[in-house]
Amino acid sequence: MPEKGFILCPSLPRECFSSKFSSMATVPSELFKLIPNDQTSHTFSFHSFSTPSSKVAKARKSSNRRRTLVSCKKSKNEEAWEGKKVGSIDYDKGNYRVSVQVSGLRKDDIPKRYRLRVEGDRWQRDWTISEVVQRILKLNHWDDIEGVLNSWAGRFARKNFPVLIREITKAGSLQHSVQVFRWMKNQKNYCARQDIYNMMIRLHARHNRIDQARGLFFEMQECRCKPDAETYNALINAHGRAGQWRWAMNVMDDMLRAAIPPSRLTYNNLISACASSGNWREALKVCKQMTENGVGPDLVTHNIVLSAYKNGVQYAKAVSYFELMKGTNIRPDTITLNIVIHCLVKLGQYGKAVDIFNSMREKRSECRPDVVTFTSIIHAYSVCGQIENCQAVFDLMLAEGLKPNIVSYNALIGAYALHGMHKDALLVFNELKRSGFRPDVVSYTSLLNAYGRSGQPEKAREIFDMMKRNSWKPNIVSYNALIDAYGSEGFLSEAVEVLREMERNGVQPNVVTICTLLAACGRCGQAVKIDSVLSAAEMRGIKLNTVAYNSAIGSYMNVGEYEKALNLYKSMKGKKVPPDSATFNVLISGSCKMAKYGEALKFVDQMMYLKIPMSKEVYSSAICAYSKQGQLEEAESMFTMMKDTGCLPDVITYTTMIHAYSAAENWETAHALFEEMEMNDITPDSIACSSLMRVFNRGGQPARVLLLADMMKMKRIPFNDATVFEMISACSMLRDWKTTINLIELVESSISAVSVGLLNHLLHFLGKSGKVETMMKFFHKILESGADVYFETYSILLRNLSAAGKWRKYIEVLQWMEDTGIQPSVRMYRNVSSFAWKGGGTEYTALFQKRIGLLKRKAGAGTDTGLLYPSPCPTSTLIDRTRE
């Protein structure tokens, strides 16, 4: 018997096993076949035996004959695995296609026993691997894919299987790959390999099928196929794509227990898993562990860490990390700078973002901007209000030879929508469709928002319906934009109907929906609706956040419900919703509007006690409250505190302080403050200029008013009613009739847009200065413009005509009043009666006495009413104050 571990070949003749053989050296090796049954042992044992010499020679001859007939040399086709580029050009359409073809082992390379079988079957095809892949991908995954594979002669070469699964997984079709993999496992010559399972795990990870990827991981171990580092990397990547960073950490622990050292790719995948979930702290821990284990981070690692900061809304930390990264020898690439630009835009540092963009364009060879870079810059210019630069950057992207994607188009549409430029947004929307893209939900929602912000809710509804007709389901953002479009124009019932439609379609409202409805209620001035919206939010289980409370409190303030706003603020504190700067800004500004200046200052004290940073709006409201209370020193102290804390005053803050000095009639300090504003590169607006003009007039400095008006013309600051009013007052003090005539010509070009109070002031000034004819000409132009003329306007005309002794024109104006349905007062008739009597107009005297008696009977016997029909114009007090 032979030793354990070997089996003698049964085909040898019995004589070969005779004991006449005493030495192994005399036995030819062709006479026996040694087959180890223990694959782990490499030690061989032999038995000695003898045979007659004639039979040995015969056996040798037979052995040589067998070696010549059965033994075949394996052919080595070195070119079978080399990819060859194959290109095709369509000159008619201008398209070209380049693909890589892999041949694999063909019919001539398979073993002879399989080759004979293939040659005898006319259904067998000698396809290349690339041809097999193309034929499979043309089929649906439920078609007979196995029929195609069973007709392929290359299936008998086991080396073709890894290449086949690699090529088909490159196409990204999961179902086809699963069908081919299932067919491969049913083949007799299939052998489980790590690379095949790794490719299938990566493909399942790409399609977010984590359970199937883990199933393949366990299946390969059942097939005695030991996972390697690439297998664990693929599984960690799969969990990272699904946001399951804890599972990825567990896989890493299994990898360490299997004594497989993690590579840089392993750590990068694990950091990416934490980063995709926004868990930046865990990402930093893994990065630190990576460095401690002697694996240095590379550019990919740094990009993943930056992405973790970005996903975790830690924009300032991302910028700081980028500054530290500059100190290393690793140069940032386009992905790095795109992340940094995004974080800078979120931080409001638009200038730095644009500087990085310009540096990328100047150093094209090192780091060239891509479509993502241009899109981020478009968004940056959109947020900071530079809409012209958005279009310029988009055109620059086209000039650089980059093809915009749908995100770029949506960013440009959103930029126009943010400013209500619906025409430009529609042009970009049409250009998107001409470029071969199909508008998505974001495209339609942005265009809808553009019409909503431009005050066209009907057009916004048309875009909303168009989106549904084109088989897009509106999301919560789309519904909120439509609600805002109706609510901003005061169509509250339509906005509520959109809310009901949203719920019918299975889209649940969120906090943004409630905020939008609350703001609409505030604009419409319906306090009852505000209560209803808050009740609806509570019934639907929507918890109000700080923004929602701010919107509700502001809406109550707008409708004058101060107590309800205050109660809502108290309930906000009871539910432990932290107030912010906007909350106190609404409370302080609302209290000031209702002349509750003491309450406004109490809110300022609360805000300072809670150590909430004060915004520019809060400082301005606090300064206004102090000035209204007559506490100029406190207002100055607040203004100084604002500058000391690094919160730079804006034009509103400066205007508020000028108002405070105006109340104190301190024109020197107000003027100095105005000059300080200009020195700080803050362009004054019409309100600031009118405030300073009022201070000058009260301080007896009318000449400075006209100098300030010249400055406004030079800087092209538009004149409003208040500035023209103060200029007329200054001309009245200086008796500068020439400048007054120029002002009248300025006002005549836009009478319909001028307030009635300003028109009355001009008429009063002309009449008081004795320019009665000019006054009447200006009055005729007012009538021609279609502007509304009230009792006070006629009263000014009659008063000045009476003073000038123009009683016939006086009578004519009275007739005009009666023709327009405005009844003159008793005093007006009495004034003209004396003039008519002295002037010899007795026929008018009797008529006037008759009308006076009629008016007295209407008003009540014995009542000498000076004004039976008061003017509805509220500007009479303004004129009286100016006269004083």
Side-chain angles (χ1 to χ4, degrees):
M1 293 294 292
E3 285 187 16
K4 182 180 180 182
F6 292 89
I7 303 173
L8 293 175
C9 180
S11 60
L12 296 177
R14 184 178 299 273
E15 292 80 4
C16 295
F17 303 109
S18 173
S19 60
K20 293 182 179 181
F21 286 97
S22 60
S23 177
M24 186 68 192
T26 60
V27 183
S29 60
E30 293 85 19
L31 295 180
F32 53 84
K33 185 177 182 181
L34 297 175
I35 305 176
N37 60 0
D38 186 2
Q39 297 180 3
T40 62
S41 175
H42 299 282
T43 304
F44 300 93
S45 300
F46 301 92
H47 284 281
S48 299
F49 40 85
S50 61
T51 185
S53 59
S54 60
K55 292 187 178 181
V56 170
K58 187 176 180 180
R60 285 180 178 176
K61 186 176 181 180
S62 175
S63 175
N64 291 332
R65 184 168 59 251
R66 285 198 304 272
R67 183 175 60 189
T68 304
L69 295 176
V70 178
S71 172
C72 61
K73 187 179 180 180
K74 255 185 185 178
S75 62
K76 294 184 179 180
N77 189 352
E78 300 293 341
E79 299 180 356
W81 317 115
E82 294 181 0
K84 296 181 180 180
K85 290 185 177 181
V86 178
S88 61
I89 302 176
D90 188 349
Y91 291 99
D92 296 331
K93 297 182 179 180
N95 299 329
Y96 67 93
R97 180 183 177 185
V98 179
S99 59
V100 178
Q101 302 291 334
V102 180
S103 173
L105 297 180
R106 307 288 291 274
K107 181 177 67 176
D108 296 336
D109 301 318
I110 62 178
K112 185 174 181 181
R113 60 184 180 277
Y114 297 125
R115 188 166 62 249
L116 294 174
R117 176 180 170 183
V118 169
E119 290 175 349
D121 191 347
R122 64 188 183 95
W123 300 108
Q124 298 296 309
R125 299 289 185 264
D126 188 21
W127 294 322
T128 63
I129 292 179
S130 297
E131 289 175 341
V132 174
V133 172
Q134 292 173 4
R135 291 178 180 274
I136 291 173
L137 293 177
K138 288 180 181 179
L139 301 175
N140 294 316
H141 63 85
W142 57 80
D143 293 336
D144 188 14
I145 293 178
E146 294 186 1
V148 175
L149 293 170
N150 290 332
S151 301
W152 174 39
R155 70 184 185 276
F156 295 109
R158 188 171 62 188
K159 291 184 178 180
N160 280 336
F161 291 163
V163 183
L164 173 64
I165 202 69
R166 183 193 68 193
E167 293 297 315
I168 199 166
T169 52
K170 280 184 180 179
S173 177
L174 178 63
Q175 298 296 337
H176 289 87
S177 302
V178 170
Q179 291 276 47
V180 173
F181 185 57
R182 186 181 298 123
W183 170 83
M184 285 170 49
K185 291 187 289 186
N186 292 329
Q187 304 304 306
K188 292 182 179 180
N189 56 340
Y190 166 77
C191 179
R193 289 179 43 166
Q194 295 169 337
D195 54 349
I196 295 178
Y197 277 101
N198 292 344
M199 285 185 283
M200 290 301 300
I201 291 174
R202 285 196 299 268
L203 183 63
H204 281 87
R206 200 187 314 168
H207 290 268
N208 291 328
R209 299 185 64 172
I210 311 303
D211 294 337
Q212 289 78 359
R214 289 186 62 83
L216 289 173
F217 177 75
F218 293 121
E219 178 184 320
M220 69 183 294
Q221 297 179 72
E222 293 175 358
C223 297
R224 296 182 180 180
C225 184
K226 187 178 180 181
D228 58 358
E230 188 177 354
T231 311
Y232 285 103
N233 290 341
L235 195 58
I236 291 173
N237 186 27
H239 287 295
R241 285 175 174 269
Q244 301 175 357
W245 65 274
R246 295 186 183 277
W247 280 91
M249 299 284 279
N250 293 336
V251 174
M252 176 75 166
D253 295 337
D254 294 341
M255 182 178 182
L256 295 175
R257 280 192 290 268
I260 299 177
S263 62
R264 181 180 287 112
L265 179 61
T266 310
Y267 283 110
N268 287 344
N269 286 333
L270 189 57
I271 297 171
S272 178
C274 299
S276 61
S277 306
N279 204 327
W280 57 274
R281 290 186 177 87
E282 291 295 332
L284 288 181
K285 290 180 181 179
V286 176
C287 187
K288 183 179 179 181
Q289 179 184 355
M290 173 183 181
T291 308
E292 292 174 351
N293 291 340
V295 182
D298 59 355
L299 179 59
V300 177
T301 311
H302 290 304
N303 288 343
I304 296 173
V305 172
L306 286 172
S307 179
Y309 279 129
K310 186 187 77 171
N311 295 335
V313 200
Q314 302 295 321
Y315 306 120
K317 293 183 182 296
V319 176
S320 300
Y321 187 87
F322 175 69
E323 295 297 329
L324 293 175
M325 180 181 169
K326 290 180 180 179
T328 64
N329 295 326
I330 300 175
R331 291 187 176 182
D333 61 353
T334 303
I335 298 176
T336 312
L337 298 180
N338 286 344
I339 297 173
V340 174
I341 289 174
H342 176 85
C343 295
L344 289 173
V345 172
K346 290 294 184 180
L347 291 172
Q349 302 178 13
Y350 310 113
K352 292 183 179 180
V354 174
D355 290 341
I356 293 178
F357 171 70
N358 292 331
S359 66
M360 292 175 68
R361 295 189 62 243
E362 293 170 359
K363 302 177 182 178
R364 298 175 185 274
S365 58
E366 294 183 9
C367 188
R368 186 174 182 178
D370 58 2
V371 178
V372 179
T373 316
F374 281 96
T375 305
S376 300
I377 296 300
I378 291 173
H379 177 68
Y381 280 125
S382 170
V383 174
C384 64
Q386 301 181 21
I387 191 65
E388 300 83 3
N389 291 334
C390 294
Q391 184 65 54
V393 172
F394 189 85
D395 295 338
L396 181 62
M397 176 169 50
L398 297 175
E400 295 287 344
L402 296 174
K403 184 179 179 181
N405 54 20
I406 192 169
V407 181
S408 306
Y409 281 106
N410 290 342
L412 188 57
I413 297 173
Y416 286 124
L418 193 63
H419 297 81
M421 303 170 66
H422 61 278
K423 293 182 180 179
D424 300 276
L426 182 61
L427 289 175
V428 180
F429 183 82
N430 294 331
E431 180 65 26
L432 182 150
K433 294 191 289 186
R434 285 194 296 269
S435 300
F437 294 105
R438 183 192 176 198
D440 57 4
V441 177
V442 179
S443 310
Y444 284 106
T445 303
S446 299
L447 185 60
L448 184 156
N449 193 27
Y451 282 111
R453 288 180 177 268
S454 62
Q456 302 182 57
E458 296 82 6
K459 293 290 294 183
R461 182 71 200 198
E462 291 180 9
I463 301 300
F464 185 82
D465 295 335
M466 184 193 304
M467 174 170 39
K468 293 194 292 185
R469 286 197 302 269
N470 289 323
S471 303
W472 287 109
K473 184 179 179 180
N475 56 18
I476 185 67
V477 181
S478 308
Y479 282 105
N480 289 342
L482 186 58
I483 291 173
D484 183 64
Y486 281 119
S488 59
E489 293 300 309
F491 299 113
L492 189 57
S493 58
E494 287 81 357
V496 174
E497 182 59 33
V498 174
L499 173 65
R500 294 169 181 167
E501 177 185 348
M502 174 173 53
E503 292 181 319
R504 287 196 299 268
N505 293 332
V507 180
Q508 296 301 320
N510 58 6
V511 180
V512 179
T513 314
I514 301 301
C515 293
T516 307
L517 286 174
L518 288 172
C521 296
R523 296 190 193 100
C524 300
Q526 299 186 19
V528 178
K529 293 292 184 180
I530 300 174
D531 300 334
S532 302
V533 172
L534 292 175
S535 300
E538 186 177 359
M539 291 173 57
R540 289 165 174 79
I542 301 175
K543 294 183 179 180
L544 302 183
N545 56 12
T546 305
V547 179
Y549 274 107
N550 294 345
S551 182
I553 293 171
S555 299
Y556 276 130
M557 288 291 188
N558 289 337
V559 299
E561 293 287 348
Y562 180 79
E563 294 299 329
K564 289 187 176 181
L566 195 59
N567 292 332
L568 195 60
Y569 170 66
K570 293 178 181 178
S571 67
M572 177 181 182
K573 294 193 296 183
K575 294 183 179 179
K576 297 182 180 180
V577 178
D580 58 0
S581 178
T583 311
F584 285 100
N585 182 39
V586 171
L587 291 169
I588 296 170
S589 60
S591 300
C592 289
K593 289 179 181 178
M594 298 181 187
K596 297 180 180 292
Y597 304 112
E599 298 295 331
L601 296 177
K602 289 181 181 179
F603 286 123
V604 174
D605 295 337
Q606 290 184 25
M607 188 174 183
M608 297 177 68
Y609 175 77
L610 295 174
K611 297 181 180 180
I612 297 176
M614 299 176 68
S615 62
K616 296 178 182 179
E617 294 79 11
V618 174
Y619 277 114
S620 300
S621 300
I623 293 171
C624 177
Y626 279 123
S627 63
K628 292 295 183 180
Q629 291 282 89
Q631 302 175 5
L632 183 59
E633 294 181 359
E634 287 77 2
E636 290 176 334
S637 176
M638 183 65 66
F639 185 69
T640 305
M641 182 193 303
M642 177 181 184
K643 292 188 288 186
D644 292 342
T645 55
C647 184
L648 298 178
D650 58 1
V651 64
I652 299 176
T653 314
Y654 277 107
T655 305
T656 307
M657 278 303 301
I658 292 173
H659 271 295
Y661 289 121
S662 174
E665 298 183 358
N666 189 348
W667 68 268
E668 294 91 349
T669 310
H671 186 218
L673 196 64
F674 189 85
E675 291 178 344
E676 178 187 331
M677 175 171 58
E678 291 183 307
M679 290 175 59
N680 292 333
D681 295 330
I682 299 176
T683 304
D685 57 3
S686 303
I687 301 176
C689 293
S690 63
S691 301
L692 186 59
M693 286 179 177
R694 186 177 300 110
V695 179
F696 284 147
N697 281 331
R698 289 185 176 183
Q701 302 291 323
R704 294 181 180 272
V705 173
L706 300 183
L707 291 176
L708 185 57
D710 294 336
M711 186 273 291
M712 292 178 65
K713 292 179 183 178
M714 183 178 62
K715 293 188 175 182
R716 296 182 179 180
I717 300 174
F719 291 89
N720 58 7
D721 288 358
T723 52
V724 176
F725 185 92
E726 298 298 336
M727 289 169 65
I728 295 171
S729 300
C731 291
S732 177
M733 296 181 200
L734 296 172
R735 297 188 177 275
D736 188 350
W737 316 123
K738 183 178 180 181
T739 305
T740 306
I741 298 301
N742 294 334
L743 285 175
I744 292 174
E745 293 176 355
L746 177 66
V747 172
E748 286 177 355
S749 60
S750 58
I751 291 178
S752 59
V754 178
S755 65
V756 179
L758 179 58
L759 296 177
N760 291 344
H761 186 61
L762 277 171
L763 291 172
H764 174 73
F765 174 73
L766 291 172
K768 186 179 180 181
S769 61
K771 308 289 184 180
V772 178
E773 297 298 329
T774 307
M775 179 189 71
M776 294 307 301
K777 288 180 181 179
F778 185 63
F779 177 71
H780 286 299
K781 290 182 179 180
I782 293 174
L783 295 177
E784 290 175 0
S785 67
D788 295 329
V789 179
Y790 298 102
F791 182 90
E792 182 65 26
T793 308
Y794 286 106
S795 178
I796 293 171
L797 292 177
L798 293 176
R799 190 182 306 118
N800 289 296
L801 289 172
S802 174
K806 303 288 185 179
W807 64 272
R808 292 189 181 275
K809 180 61 70 174
Y810 189 106
I811 295 171
E812 187 177 354
V813 173
L814 282 176
Q815 188 62 45
W816 293 346
M817 288 183 67
E818 293 179 355
D819 293 342
T820 56
I822 301 175
Q823 181 63 50
S825 67
V826 174
R827 186 174 300 167
M828 291 177 180
Y829 283 119
R830 284 182 174 175
N831 290 338
V832 77
S833 297
S834 60
F835 284 109
W837 180 264
K838 294 177 182 179
T842 54
E843 69 279 7
Y844 294 110
T845 304
L847 178 61
F848 293 154
Q849 292 295 335
K850 181 179 179 181
R851 291 188 177 177
I852 290 172
L854 181 61
L855 289 175
K856 283 185 176 183
R857 285 193 295 272
K858 287 184 178 179
T863 304
D864 188 2
T865 309
L867 184 63
L868 295 178
Y869 294 89
S871 169
C873 175
T875 59
S876 59
T877 56
L878 185 63
I879 295 176
D880 294 338
R881 186 185 65 183
T882 306
R883 189 185 311 118
E884 294 174 357

